[in-house]
Amino acid sequence: MTTLLERAPVAVAKTTPRRSVTALFAIAVLVAGYTGFRLPGTWAATLQAVSLTDGFHRRFLVGTILKPFGHDYAVFAVASFAVLAAVLAVVTLAFFSSRTESRRWLIVAWLLLPTGGYLFHEIGYLDQTLYLLLSAALWAVYRNRPVLASAVMALSVTVHEIALLTVLPVFGFALLRKVSLRRACALLAPAAGLGLVILAMPPVAPGAIEKLGRALSTTDFRYRADALALFGRTQAESWQLYSITGVLLYLLPIVIVVAGGFLYLHRPSLAAFVPVAAIAAPALLAFGGWDDARWGFLLVTNFVVVLWLWLGSRELKPRQGAVLAALFLILTHVPMPYFDGYAPRGLTLVTPVEASR
């Protein structure tokens, strides 16, 4: 018997990736790495120093784990590279374990889009840890260990509260393909409940920001005081620093492309509501901060993950593949500016003459 969101797919024998697709995957990884690679920024390092034992009640899991190793930049850099390497290992495993060419081409396309370079540029950001935990939870779900998966997702909201609008909706979609609605709600409840409790609590204990700032002032890198200041502002105060409308207008074309693309492949129906909601949920992060390009990256990433899960053993028809390719071409025109004055590296060996004038 199939569950609420699962259609019985046509059985497809597992095939070995063609050499050409494998070579293109390797090239895509190299291009993405060349385009966006940088050392972990001081903003990311500062946030990785935040721990529960220091009085921080949000985004504390990574910092709490790393605290026994000290606050040197090398600690945060090694941790950042380890997480990025693990994410790349998951992507590689997903590519080679895919049963269809459609799934493999989807991964290649995500790496060749601006999202590929942005993945490397985001090194050290807690988003990568969130998707690493999502991968572990999906592994547990598909090996019939849903309770373990639920526990992993509960940990995700202690990494960063944006888990509620990024990885948790994708996890819910995956659950509904395997278990009943009641069971799925029960497995989602611990993470959702803990996330809401974290949001309801004061983000930091009195004096914790100043105390951590003093500790970081003696380290071998210049910590970002504005990163710690995030924990001292109310949401209303944060909204005064940027235009929510501006961020939403940036995200709107991306939402239209990715949600519309999925609906074209799935066909609009009640069953499409959950996957479309999982794809579009990161757009609501416009109400949480001004990192518009980062939210765009998460939107496209959720689209790729949901579509990869939905495809299963399905092979896209030529017309579907052509439409999906056209949508990805549209996404290449979406600007994803980098943080801290960085920019994607061009593939040309010299700067064009017109650009240097």
Side-chain angles (χ1 to χ4, degrees):
M1 178 182 294
T2 57
T3 56
L4 179 64
L5 296 181
E6 187 178 31
R7 300 184 215 162
V10 177
V12 176
K14 187 173 182 178
T15 59
T16 303
R18 298 176 185 174
R19 288 184 179 181
S20 57
V21 182
T22 303
L24 188 56
F25 170 75
I27 292 171
V29 172
L30 291 174
V31 169
Y34 171 78
T35 301
F37 177 82
R38 66 157 175 163
L39 294 176
T42 54
W43 178 284
T46 301
L47 289 182
Q48 287 183 15
V50 169
S51 69
L52 184 63
T53 54
D54 285 323
F56 289 81
H57 306 144
R58 294 181 188 173
R59 312 178 194 182
F60 56 77
L61 181 62
V62 172
T64 303
I65 294 173
L66 294 180
K67 187 176 180 180
F69 301 98
H71 288 153
D72 290 342
Y73 177 78
V75 173
F76 303 123
V78 169
S80 300
F81 280 115
V83 171
L84 176 60
V87 170
L88 291 174
V90 169
V91 172
T92 302
L93 181 62
F95 176 84
F96 284 102
S97 65
S98 294
R99 297 182 178 182
T100 65
E101 292 294 300
S102 297
R103 272 185 157 187
R104 297 182 190 117
W105 279 104
L106 181 65
I107 294 172
V108 170
W110 178 74
L111 288 168
L112 290 177
L113 285 173
T115 48
Y118 205 91
L119 170 69
F120 284 86
H121 171 71
E122 255 211 338
I123 184 170
Y125 274 72
L126 300 175
D127 307 346
Q128 295 186 356
T129 305
L130 291 180
Y131 283 89
L132 192 59
L133 290 175
L134 173 64
S135 302
L138 294 178
W139 177 88
V141 167
Y142 282 88
R143 280 153 185 78
N144 296 317
R145 299 178 181 176
V147 176
L148 174 61
S150 179
V152 170
M153 293 311 296
L155 285 177
S156 72
V157 298
T158 67
V159 172
H160 200 304
E161 63 274 12
I162 66 170
L164 293 168
L165 292 174
T166 54
V167 295
L168 200 58
V170 176
F171 179 63
F173 168 66
L175 283 177
L176 286 173
R177 291 171 57 82
K178 298 289 288 185
V179 301
S180 66
L181 177 61
R182 175 180 291 185
R183 179 69 168 157
C185 291
L187 292 169
L188 282 169
L194 180 57
L196 293 176
V197 169
I198 288 175
L199 289 176
M201 293 175 60
V204 66
I209 296 175
E210 293 75 13
K211 180 181 177 182
L212 182 58
R214 288 194 296 271
L216 293 178
S217 65
T218 62
T219 59
D220 58 353
F221 71 98
R222 183 174 296 179
Y223 82 97
R224 294 285 296 268
D226 50 346
L228 295 183
L230 290 172
F231 297 90
R233 286 197 300 265
T234 65
Q235 192 59 62
E237 290 171 339
S238 293
W239 286 340
Q240 295 175 3
L241 300 178
Y242 72 103
S243 168
I244 297 174
T245 302
V247 177
L248 286 173
L249 289 176
Y250 167 81
L251 296 175
L252 181 59
I254 305 176
V255 173
I256 292 173
V257 169
V258 296
F262 184 83
L263 287 174
Y264 173 81
L265 299 175
H266 187 282
R267 291 181 302 181
S269 65
L270 182 61
F273 174 79
V274 172
V276 170
I279 291 169
L284 296 176
L285 292 172
F287 295 95
W290 53 83
D291 292 345
D292 43 11
R294 183 178 165 207
W295 310 149
F297 165 75
L298 297 176
L299 263 171
V300 178
T301 300
N302 268 25
F303 169 61
V304 170
V305 175
V306 168
L307 186 54
W308 191 89
L309 292 171
W310 177 81
L311 280 172
S313 57
R314 297 178 179 88
E315 195 72 80
L316 290 174
K317 298 176 182 178
R319 185 176 63 180
Q320 292 175 317
V323 171
L324 191 60
L327 294 177
F328 280 130
L329 284 174
I330 294 173
L331 291 175
T332 63
H333 292 271
V334 175
M336 284 189 179
Y338 290 173
F339 295 114
D340 303 327
Y342 285 85
R345 295 183 184 88
L347 295 180
T348 55
L349 298 178
V350 297
T351 303
V353 175
E354 291 296 332
S356 62
R357 288 183 180 179

